[in-house]
Amino acid sequence: HLCAASFKANGFEIALDLCEEAETVIRPFAMERLVRNLLDNAIKYAGVGISLATRVEGDCLYLSVLDRGKGIKNQDLELLRRPFTRANAARGGASGYGLGLAIVDKIIEAHQAHIEYLPREGGGLEVRIKLPRLTEAYD
């Protein structure tokens, strides 16, 4: 929510579709960086139709960043996840160092989470992160 608010303060509209609170174990600063990197990419390569959504299904919490850009072809995805690679061909080109998705992958790995890059019906991309949800309180 705070990430979306900071983007909105800078003139970028991020729609929110957040579920009820669900507990999970995260590294807050790392997760904030992950969300910022994904929102940066959505703004850079799509510009419109960007939303941040969460939902709970069973023992999992899903966090999604959605956009209405060109999406990413499967063959380009592995290339883009390498450090210092940018999306020139995949999503229309932009400046930067090409570290965004490589950093995202490291944060996902540290959280023992799972990430998917999915085409959206009607065009665009959904980056969906699956985190294990806490179902029992810690002592």
Side-chain angles (χ1 to χ4, degrees):
H1 189 271
L2 292 175
C3 287
S6 70
F7 278 93
K8 187 173 183 174
N10 287 307
F12 300 106
E13 197 63 38
I14 310 292
L16 297 176
D17 181 13
L18 305 177
C19 68
E20 73 279 0
E21 288 186 27
E23 292 187 17
T24 187
V25 176
I26 62 167
R27 297 176 181 170
F29 295 114
M31 192 57 64
E32 180 182 356
R33 184 161 189 195
L34 176 143
V35 171
R36 285 185 184 280
N37 282 0
L38 294 177
L39 288 173
D40 279 341
N41 281 346
I43 288 167
K44 198 181 294 185
Y45 299 114
V48 296
I50 300 166
S51 61
L52 181 62
T54 59
R55 75 178 198 286
V56 173
E57 277 186 26
D59 61 353
C60 295
L61 172 64
Y62 292 90
L63 167 69
S64 295
V65 174
L66 304 102
D67 69 46
R68 289 292 181 195
K70 295 180 181 180
I72 299 175
K73 295 177 185 172
N74 284 338
Q75 63 265 28
D76 293 329
L77 187 55
E78 285 308 311
L79 178 66
L80 291 177
R81 293 168 91 169
R82 294 182 198 155
F84 307 109
T85 304
R86 289 181 293 170
N88 291 334
R91 296 195 82 189
S95 63
Y97 294 105
L99 291 172
L101 293 183
I103 291 169
V104 164
D105 281 348
K106 292 295 182 190
I107 295 169
I108 290 294
E109 184 180 312
H111 284 85
Q112 298 178 342
H114 179 74
I115 190 166
E116 294 180 284
Y117 297 84
L118 306 165
R120 289 184 72 191
E121 188 173 318
L125 180 69
E126 175 182 359
V127 181
R128 183 185 302 160
I129 298 157
K130 178 181 174 183
L131 295 157
R133 190 174 141 221
L134 286 182
T135 53
E136 298 178 11
Y138 281 100
D139 293 327

